[in-house]
Amino acid sequence: MSPHLAMTASETGLLAHVRSLFGGEKAADDGGEWILEPFLHVDPDRIYNPVTGTELRAGPKAFRQIQNLYSTGGSARGLRAGVRAALAEQGWVVENPGEQLGRSFRLRYASLEAGTVCNQACYFCPVSTDPRESHTMSMEFYEDVVRQLSAHKETIEGVSMVQYNEPTVDAQFLERLRLLHRYGLAPAVNSNGTGLTPERVDRIAETGELRFLSINLSTLNRERYKADRGHDHVDVAARNVDYMATKRLAVQAEIMVLGRGDAVHQADFREIESRWGGSEFEVKYAEVMDRAGAVDGGDKPAEPIRRLRGCDQTGSRPVEWVHVNPYGQCVVCCQDYHNHYVVGDLREESLEDVLSGEKMARLRRQAYGYEDSPEDFICRHCIYARGQ
């Protein structure tokens, strides 16, 4: 077992919670090499397993034991038989996967971007400096991808219809929405709000409830809106949000007020919150980030992350997500605007083959620090990457 893998196995603090239940049993010794699940997220308040989607919480004493054992290292081999059996049944303990490390996943979310076009050019998005050529995924191919995603509908919580596009620009937006519902998948829509007219909103409501709806609206000041986004759409967006604010369109609906974290940003947030706070929308405040180096400015790591330990961007992007661009390529995550990290192509291979294939496995190993990655590796420069 590699030293790095052995260190990850130090999550044996998990045993503190279970060992008392099986005191007195002899250690298991069947010749196997047992370790804790390599992709665990160990934090002060919880331990999360993205491969199974489960978490473990405990009181202060149990968590002090977990953190102590996590920091000192250790192997799960030789555990008492009952302890190991209980942990293995829940997915906390696994046999050392060896060369197969990184091939396990649990698809929790998907991003399926049907087109490249956006009708704005926001300063916090690479579309503003490097717009893409217009391309739209055919409905036939879109349905094929949706059909493959539906094989994981028991674990998928939502399918995002956006990555760097504005989904409502697509003339077939509503048809794609209906298709997701037809296959038992919950659509998630991020939008600048300009295309969500009252008529279209009513048709969305008739189609079925969205899992998630987020409106990116950073200011109501016309001049700043135009300067920030390259287009004078503020009145259209605000009128549409007024209409949506009275409708139950999604399980979770929010207005995201992005900005630079300064006094102007704070004032914009207060104005937007005073107008729509308490409606069907929850108004949220967030500062812009540099998208792992894809744009200048915004929040970023103070220095490149030396030892990577996974991802915390709405779950683990390498383990729990798949991102499909309008050409059918699968990329590592939403920060990969320039498609530098293509792990598969659904025009040539199946979704299952991509998710369990070596390209994806290697990227998971790199994102979690089990395999060396280049200095310019995207995760080293991302604010959502876990490090140690």
Side-chain angles (χ1 to χ4, degrees):
M1 181 166 61
S2 71
H4 195 157
L5 200 57
M7 185 169 289
T8 301
S10 65
E11 287 94 336
T12 43
L14 284 166
L15 306 179
H17 181 68
V18 181
R19 182 174 285 127
S20 61
L21 301 176
F22 300 97
E25 291 189 38
K26 293 183 179 180
D29 186 10
D30 57 6
E33 186 179 7
W34 291 82
I35 60 172
L36 293 185
E37 165 56 49
F39 296 112
L40 295 183
H41 294 192
V42 180
D43 294 310
D45 60 343
R46 72 166 188 164
I47 297 174
Y48 178 66
N49 185 345
V51 177
T52 62
T54 56
E55 65 178 30
L56 179 67
R57 295 182 179 270
K61 182 178 180 180
F63 263 79
R64 285 197 300 270
Q65 292 172 323
I66 290 172
Q67 295 300 333
N68 288 340
L69 290 170
Y70 180 69
S71 64
T72 58
S75 169
R77 185 181 180 186
L79 296 177
R80 299 180 188 279
V83 173
R84 196 181 73 185
L87 293 175
E89 183 179 2
Q90 299 173 31
W92 298 109
V93 166
V94 297
E95 284 196 88
N96 186 349
E99 295 181 357
Q100 297 299 306
L101 179 65
R103 293 186 184 260
S104 297
F105 65 92
R106 177 181 181 271
L107 201 54
R108 184 179 171 195
Y109 301 106
S111 171
L112 179 53
E113 188 184 34
T116 59
V117 176
C118 184
N119 62 342
Q120 295 189 342
C122 304
Y123 74 90
F124 46 80
C125 177
V127 170
S128 63
T129 57
D130 191 14
R132 298 174 292 179
E133 292 185 7
S134 178
H135 178 79
T136 302
M137 184 183 292
S138 72
M139 281 303 302
E140 181 182 12
F141 185 62
Y142 189 88
E143 181 168 6
D144 183 59
V145 177
V146 169
R147 177 187 56 77
Q148 293 185 69
L149 286 171
S150 70
H152 299 271
K153 64 184 178 183
E154 296 303 318
T155 60
I156 290 180
E157 296 179 19
V159 177
S160 175
M161 301 180 72
V162 65
Q163 189 151 301
Y164 288 95
N165 60 324
E166 168 52 47
T168 61
V169 171
D170 183 2
Q172 296 172 305
F173 168 69
L174 288 170
E175 187 177 349
R176 298 185 198 277
L177 198 64
R178 295 188 191 98
L179 195 63
L180 289 169
H181 281 299
R182 193 185 314 152
Y183 277 86
L185 296 167
V189 175
N190 295 62
S191 172
N192 56 38
T194 58
L196 292 172
T197 62
E199 179 184 4
R200 181 172 275 177
V201 165
D202 288 344
R203 294 178 68 184
I204 290 173
E206 294 169 359
T207 300
E209 191 173 53
L210 304 175
R211 171 60 183 85
F212 179 72
L213 172 64
S214 180
I215 305 299
N216 185 331
L217 182 64
S218 47
T219 184
L220 294 176
N221 179 281
R222 168 175 269 113
E223 293 306 315
R224 276 191 280 110
Y225 186 102
K226 185 176 180 180
D228 288 349
R229 296 168 179 265
H231 294 275
D232 185 9
H233 293 158
V234 66
D235 289 342
V236 172
R239 285 197 303 270
N240 290 345
V241 173
D242 278 338
Y243 188 78
M244 286 184 282
T246 65
K247 306 291 182 180
R248 170 73 177 185
L249 294 175
V251 175
Q252 180 182 351
E254 67 180 32
I255 298 171
M256 184 60 69
V257 184
L258 280 170
R260 296 182 173 91
D262 54 14
V264 172
H265 181 198
Q266 295 165 18
D268 283 331
F269 172 76
R270 289 192 296 269
E271 183 180 10
I272 291 172
E273 186 179 42
S274 68
R275 181 161 173 174
W276 290 295
S279 70
E280 290 292 333
F281 287 106
E282 178 183 0
V283 182
K284 293 185 175 181
Y285 175 96
E287 296 183 19
V288 297
M289 51 94 73
D290 76 340
R291 294 193 173 276
V295 295
D296 292 329
D299 195 11
K300 63 180 180 180
E303 58 184 28
I305 300 170
R306 307 314 307 169
R307 187 180 181 200
L308 293 167
R309 302 297 291 151
C311 171
D312 275 333
Q313 189 177 9
T314 320
S316 170
R317 295 283 165 152
V319 178
E320 297 181 303
W321 277 79
V322 63
H323 295 265
V324 185
N325 69 22
Y327 301 96
Q329 296 169 314
C330 299
V331 297
V332 58
C333 81
C334 63
Q335 309 302 349
D336 189 13
Y337 178 73
H338 296 286
N339 303 321
H340 291 313
Y341 300 89
V342 176
V343 294
D345 192 329
L346 298 183
R347 294 168 297 186
E348 302 172 355
E349 52 195 321
S350 71
L351 175 65
E352 206 66 29
D353 286 344
V354 171
L355 291 172
S356 60
E358 176 54 26
K359 287 183 180 179
M360 191 68 234
R362 183 185 183 198
L363 203 141
R364 292 185 188 117
R365 294 194 298 267
Q366 290 179 328
Y368 278 80
Y370 293 110
E371 184 172 321
D372 288 339
S373 57
E375 290 296 313
D376 63 352
F377 185 57
I378 189 169
C379 298
R380 294 191 187 278
H381 304 274
C382 182
I383 62 171
Y384 296 109
R386 297 173 63 87
Q388 189 179 57

